[in-house]
Amino acid sequence: MPAIPFLDLQSLNCSLESELDQAFHDVLRSGWFILGEHVSAFEREYAQFSGTRYAVGVANGLDALHIALRVLGVGYGDEVIVPSNTYIATLLSVSFVGATPVLVEPRKTTYNINPEGIEAAITSRTKAIMPVHLYGQAAEMEAIMDIAEKYGIYVVEDNAQAHGAFYNGKPTGSFGHINATSFYPGKNLGALGDAGAITTDNPDYNIRARSWRNYGSQKKYYNEVLGYNSRLDELQAAFLLKKLPLLYSQNAERERLATLYTQNLQGVGDIITPVLADNASSVFHLYVIRTAKRDALQEYLAQQGIGTMIHYPIPPHLQEAYKHQGWKKGQFPIAEEIAETCLSLPLYPGLSDTNVEYVVEHIKRFFATHSA
Ligand SMILES: *Cc1c(COP(=O)(O)O)cnc(C)c1O
């Protein structure tokens, strides 16, 4: 049995080699590399995919989050509610605009932010909520939008991990006032480099996001805000245009493999398999299990040639970068417990059923020799 990598981007992208070659040649021959027809075409296609009126291509997911907050005018003195168990990027975007991230614990079952915790964390300074569709599962968007409306605050979805997921039949990235996503190579829809996008239904936010990504300028050499250089490259847009049509079937393949894992891992050791909220779907960006023996299991699987990862080993409140916030160990116990027990198993289009069964077999062997 060959080694099973955690993720195989090489075979994933090389299966599309001739289309991607074609995309490269189209851009090369066009002689136009920044904000041209490929970016416009991808923005149209991605907006349609997201069920939003507009999509704005930017350089990466972190910039998409950051620009979304700029568009809303979030800044100094404002508070933004974010999950305590997210990737650091969600918090960084809040810090970049000078606002304060306020952490709210996830549900222990779904790992997505708990709407009850959101309501308890709202103060007169709260300007926005940033739900994250973690590991590919849609957060509880109906409850979150109701809270936002009740208190008159904005919602910015961090959809970096969940392109193609739904809540109540509506796509993630289409609920919030303005939303962000990433096309980092390892995401479900990945470019061949960094890339990201903003989605919104609001024509004014669409125009302002376009300005922020391009030096604060809508008209060349007229600058209205202190903008950024955060444009989606023509080349990446051309690659993404080739990859987007495959996303539905690739997500379906991830879901199928996830179901296979879940069925076969029932009752194995102390393993907890992923749980979906009512009305939420998942595109299984990651297949994350939990076990108290996480570190030993990871080491054992590595010895069998099976790659796994931890998303994420240190929650944001315990990061050196956030020392100044004065958050303490024990303050967000659910985020800490997830960080100590979670393990992401190999899952990607192209992974075979036999591979999944091989991974499961070795997990069973591990627990047979490491029980109680
Ligand atoms: C990947 C990711 C981001 C950042 O995206 P980049 O393109 O790497 O900047 C933000 N939030 C979450 C939840 C992510 O997984």
Side-chain angles (χ1 to χ4, degrees), residues 187-208:
K187 308 292 191 193
N188 287 29
L189 177 58
L192 306 184
D194 278 312
I198 288 164
T199 52
T200 184
D201 280 331
N202 184 310
D204 183 41
Y205 296 168
N206 170 53
I207 288 169
R208 283 196 258 165

Short mmCIF file of all heavy atoms in Angstrom, two decimals, residues 187-208:
data_model
loop_
_atom_site.label_atom_id
_atom_site.label_comp_id
_atom_site.label_asym_id
_atom_site.label_seq_id
_atom_site.Cartn_x
_atom_site.Cartn_y
_atom_site.Cartn_z
N LYS A 187 -7.76 25.05 -0.60
CA LYS A 187 -9.20 25.15 -0.34
C LYS A 187 -9.97 24.30 -1.36
O LYS A 187 -9.40 23.88 -2.37
CB LYS A 187 -9.67 26.61 -0.44
CG LYS A 187 -8.87 27.60 0.38
CD LYS A 187 -9.03 27.45 1.88
CE LYS A 187 -8.40 28.66 2.58
NZ LYS A 187 -8.21 28.47 4.02
N ASN A 188 -11.27 24.12 -1.14
CA ASN A 188 -12.04 23.28 -2.08
C ASN A 188 -11.96 23.81 -3.50
O ASN A 188 -11.86 23.04 -4.44
CB ASN A 188 -13.50 23.18 -1.64
CG ASN A 188 -13.66 22.28 -0.43
OD1 ASN A 188 -12.73 22.19 0.39
ND2 ASN A 188 -14.80 21.65 -0.29
N LEU A 189 -12.05 25.14 -3.65
CA LEU A 189 -11.76 25.77 -4.95
C LEU A 189 -10.43 26.49 -4.78
O LEU A 189 -10.37 27.53 -4.11
CB LEU A 189 -12.86 26.75 -5.36
CG LEU A 189 -12.61 27.52 -6.67
CD1 LEU A 189 -12.41 26.57 -7.84
CD2 LEU A 189 -13.75 28.49 -6.95
N GLY A 190 -9.37 25.92 -5.34
CA GLY A 190 -8.03 26.46 -5.10
C GLY A 190 -7.40 26.96 -6.38
O GLY A 190 -7.48 26.30 -7.42
N ALA A 191 -6.74 28.11 -6.31
CA ALA A 191 -5.98 28.63 -7.44
C ALA A 191 -4.60 27.96 -7.45
O ALA A 191 -4.34 27.04 -6.66
CB ALA A 191 -5.85 30.15 -7.31
N LEU A 192 -3.72 28.41 -8.36
CA LEU A 192 -2.35 27.90 -8.37
C LEU A 192 -1.45 28.97 -7.75
O LEU A 192 -0.40 29.33 -8.29
CB LEU A 192 -1.91 27.57 -9.80
CG LEU A 192 -2.84 26.62 -10.57
CD1 LEU A 192 -2.25 26.28 -11.94
CD2 LEU A 192 -3.08 25.33 -9.80
N GLY A 193 -1.90 29.48 -6.64
CA GLY A 193 -1.23 30.56 -5.94
C GLY A 193 -2.27 31.18 -5.02
O GLY A 193 -3.32 30.59 -4.79
N ASP A 194 -2.01 32.40 -4.54
CA ASP A 194 -2.98 33.07 -3.68
C ASP A 194 -4.09 33.72 -4.49
O ASP A 194 -3.84 34.25 -5.59
CB ASP A 194 -2.29 34.15 -2.83
CG ASP A 194 -1.61 33.58 -1.61
OD1 ASP A 194 -2.25 32.78 -0.89
OD2 ASP A 194 -0.43 33.92 -1.36
N ALA A 195 -5.30 33.70 -3.95
CA ALA A 195 -6.45 34.37 -4.59
C ALA A 195 -7.60 34.39 -3.59
O ALA A 195 -7.63 33.58 -2.66
CB ALA A 195 -6.88 33.64 -5.85
N GLY A 196 -8.53 35.32 -3.79
CA GLY A 196 -9.69 35.41 -2.90
C GLY A 196 -10.79 36.21 -3.55
O GLY A 196 -10.62 36.73 -4.66
N ALA A 197 -11.93 36.30 -2.88
CA ALA A 197 -13.05 37.08 -3.43
C ALA A 197 -13.97 37.56 -2.32
O ALA A 197 -14.02 37.00 -1.22
CB ALA A 197 -13.85 36.25 -4.43
N ILE A 198 -14.69 38.62 -2.66
CA ILE A 198 -15.73 39.19 -1.81
C ILE A 198 -17.05 38.96 -2.54
O ILE A 198 -17.10 39.10 -3.77
CB ILE A 198 -15.45 40.70 -1.63
CG1 ILE A 198 -14.25 40.88 -0.71
CG2 ILE A 198 -16.68 41.44 -1.10
CD1 ILE A 198 -13.64 42.27 -0.76
N THR A 199 -18.10 38.61 -1.79
CA THR A 199 -19.43 38.48 -2.42
C THR A 199 -20.42 39.37 -1.69
O THR A 199 -20.35 39.51 -0.46
CB THR A 199 -19.93 37.02 -2.39
OG1 THR A 199 -19.86 36.50 -1.05
CG2 THR A 199 -19.12 36.13 -3.31
N THR A 200 -21.33 39.97 -2.42
CA THR A 200 -22.35 40.84 -1.83
C THR A 200 -23.50 41.05 -2.80
O THR A 200 -23.33 40.89 -4.02
CB THR A 200 -21.74 42.21 -1.41
OG1 THR A 200 -22.74 42.99 -0.74
CG2 THR A 200 -21.23 42.99 -2.61
N ASP A 201 -24.65 41.43 -2.25
CA ASP A 201 -25.80 41.82 -3.09
C ASP A 201 -25.90 43.33 -3.19
O ASP A 201 -26.72 43.85 -3.94
CB ASP A 201 -27.10 41.30 -2.45
CG ASP A 201 -27.33 39.84 -2.75
OD1 ASP A 201 -26.88 39.36 -3.81
OD2 ASP A 201 -27.97 39.16 -1.91
N ASN A 202 -25.10 44.04 -2.39
CA ASN A 202 -25.24 45.48 -2.26
C ASN A 202 -24.40 46.22 -3.32
O ASN A 202 -23.17 46.12 -3.31
CB ASN A 202 -24.80 45.86 -0.84
CG ASN A 202 -25.01 47.33 -0.55
OD1 ASN A 202 -24.59 48.18 -1.33
ND2 ASN A 202 -25.63 47.62 0.58
N PRO A 203 -25.04 46.97 -4.23
CA PRO A 203 -24.29 47.62 -5.32
C PRO A 203 -23.26 48.62 -4.81
O PRO A 203 -22.18 48.75 -5.41
CB PRO A 203 -25.38 48.32 -6.15
CG PRO A 203 -26.64 48.24 -5.38
CD PRO A 203 -26.49 47.20 -4.32
N ASP A 204 -23.58 49.28 -3.71
CA ASP A 204 -22.65 50.26 -3.16
C ASP A 204 -21.41 49.56 -2.57
O ASP A 204 -20.27 49.98 -2.79
CB ASP A 204 -23.39 51.06 -2.08
CG ASP A 204 -22.54 52.14 -1.49
OD1 ASP A 204 -21.82 52.81 -2.26
OD2 ASP A 204 -22.56 52.31 -0.25
N TYR A 205 -21.62 48.45 -1.86
CA TYR A 205 -20.48 47.69 -1.30
C TYR A 205 -19.62 47.13 -2.43
O TYR A 205 -18.40 47.06 -2.33
CB TYR A 205 -20.96 46.53 -0.42
CG TYR A 205 -21.71 46.93 0.81
CD1 TYR A 205 -22.41 45.98 1.56
CD2 TYR A 205 -21.72 48.25 1.27
CE1 TYR A 205 -23.11 46.32 2.70
CE2 TYR A 205 -22.42 48.60 2.41
CZ TYR A 205 -23.11 47.64 3.12
OH TYR A 205 -23.80 47.97 4.26
N ASN A 206 -20.28 46.71 -3.51
CA ASN A 206 -19.55 46.19 -4.66
C ASN A 206 -18.59 47.25 -5.20
O ASN A 206 -17.40 46.99 -5.40
CB ASN A 206 -20.57 45.77 -5.74
CG ASN A 206 -19.92 45.45 -7.07
OD1 ASN A 206 -19.00 44.63 -7.13
ND2 ASN A 206 -20.37 46.09 -8.12
N ILE A 207 -19.09 48.45 -5.38
CA ILE A 207 -18.26 49.54 -5.92
C ILE A 207 -17.13 49.88 -4.95
O ILE A 207 -15.97 50.04 -5.35
CB ILE A 207 -19.14 50.78 -6.22
CG1 ILE A 207 -20.00 50.48 -7.45
CG2 ILE A 207 -18.28 52.02 -6.45
CD1 ILE A 207 -21.08 51.51 -7.71
N ARG A 208 -17.48 49.96 -3.65
CA ARG A 208 -16.43 50.32 -2.67
C ARG A 208 -15.36 49.23 -2.54
O ARG A 208 -14.18 49.53 -2.39
CB ARG A 208 -17.08 50.60 -1.31
CG ARG A 208 -17.72 51.98 -1.31
CD ARG A 208 -18.01 52.41 0.10
NE ARG A 208 -19.42 52.24 0.41
CZ ARG A 208 -19.91 52.27 1.63
NH1 ARG A 208 -19.11 52.42 2.68
NH2 ARG A 208 -21.20 52.14 1.85
#
